[in-house]
């Protein structure tokens, strides 16, 4: 009777050992699953932590200078020099800057009718804009011209004085003189910004005192052209209608042609010194 009583606990212990195996087999998947899930979850941060793609580049000062030079209208020829005719807008651009004022002068001189002269000048500017539309050319220069002529006509019509047609040009000249003078004072000379692009110097010229000096001189040359305009034309303006013909004539001659001439002289004065020749190979 004692043997069955002793064997029953062993069977119970063996049965009690089975849950241990079940628990062990049940515990393994949870232990393995978090490891796999964590490993899979860690991959996205690794991808996020390796953003080796460069951020969007901001335009450099050299690129800004290049864009500004393009907006100013300067162009270079195939040999790397400044293209004077193209920088002046070509034949059509020169005509757009001269003819509206010439039409105004001729019409007013013949008819002595200010409104008719103003309308004729506006019509000439509008004709150039229409021509550019037909040719599918950029309208920037033509639109700027018609806006300038429109403002000049409005001023002259408001005052009733034909000579006031040229006041806006005086104010524009003064603004350019001040802006270029400030560019020299702050060591960002205007000539350097536009010529540096054409010569592929970027802004490296600012690191060299000789180049900085040359571009400051070149900017003063352009400023002197603008100052010369005022010195010649302002006294004629104060003569009233008696000086109108002379004022209009000098305005035409000292407009785009003289400005482009000043830019060309500044270009020549700011040419970099030729690189020294390397040593010749002995023969």
């Amino acid at each position: 009777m004692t043997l069955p009583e002793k064997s029953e606990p062993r069977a119970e212990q063996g049965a009690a050992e089975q849950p241990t195996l079940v628990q062990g087999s049940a515990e393994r998947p949870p232990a393995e699953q978090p490891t796999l899930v964590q490993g899979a979850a860690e991959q996205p941060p690794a991808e996020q932590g390796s953003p080796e793609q460069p951020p969007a580049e901001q335009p450099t000062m050299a690129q800004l200078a290049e864009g500004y030079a393009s907006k100013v209208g300067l162009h270079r020829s195939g040999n790397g020099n400044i293209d004077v005719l193209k920088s002046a807008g070509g034949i059509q651009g020169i005509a757009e800057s001269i003819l509206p004022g010439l039409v105004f002068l001729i019409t007013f001189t013949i008819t002595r009718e200010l409104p008719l002269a103003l309308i004729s000048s506006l019509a000439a500017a509008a004709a150039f804009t229409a021509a550019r539309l037909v040719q599918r050319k950029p309208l920037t220069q033509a639109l700027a011209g018609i806006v300038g002529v429109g403002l000049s006509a409005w001023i002259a019509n408001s005052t009733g004085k034909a000579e006031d047609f040229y006041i806006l040009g005086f104010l524009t000249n003064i603004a350019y003189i001040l802006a270029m003078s400030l560019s020299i004072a702050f060591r960002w000379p205007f000539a350097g910004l536009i010529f540096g692009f054409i010569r592929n110097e970027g802004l490296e010229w600012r690191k060299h005192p000789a180049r900085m000096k040359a571009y400051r001189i070149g900017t003063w040359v352009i400023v002197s052209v603008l100052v010369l305009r005022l010195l010649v034309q302002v006294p004629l303006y104060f003569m009233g209608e008696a000086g109108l013909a002379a004022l209009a004539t000098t305005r035409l001659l000292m407009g785009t042609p003289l400005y482009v001439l000043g830019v060309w002289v500044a270009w020549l004065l700011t040419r970099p010194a030729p690189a020294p020749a390397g040593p010749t190979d002995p023969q």
Side-chain angles (χ1 to χ4, degrees), residues 99-175:
L99 284 183
L102 182 61
V103 169
F104 169 80
L105 173 63
I106 294 174
T107 305
F108 184 77
T109 302
I110 295 174
T111 65
R112 311 305 294 183
E113 293 288 338
L114 180 59
L116 179 60
L118 296 175
I119 293 174
S120 300
S121 179
L122 281 170
F128 283 118
T129 304
R132 283 186 173 265
L133 282 173
V134 172
Q135 298 168 352
R136 296 184 179 180
K137 291 184 177 180
L139 297 177
T140 304
Q141 185 170 354
L143 289 177
I146 195 171
V147 170
V149 172
L151 289 174
S152 299
W154 176 77
I155 294 173
N157 187 63
S158 300
T159 62
K161 298 179 180 179
E163 62 270 22
D164 286 349
F165 183 78
Y166 300 100
I167 283 183
L168 184 62
F170 297 153
L171 298 177
T172 304
N173 254 26
I174 293 173

Side-chain angles (χ1 to χ4, degrees), residues 32-47:
E32 292 175 357
Q33 287 175 0
T35 304
L36 294 175
V37 172
Q38 289 177 1
E42 287 174 359
Q43 291 177 358
E47 294 177 358

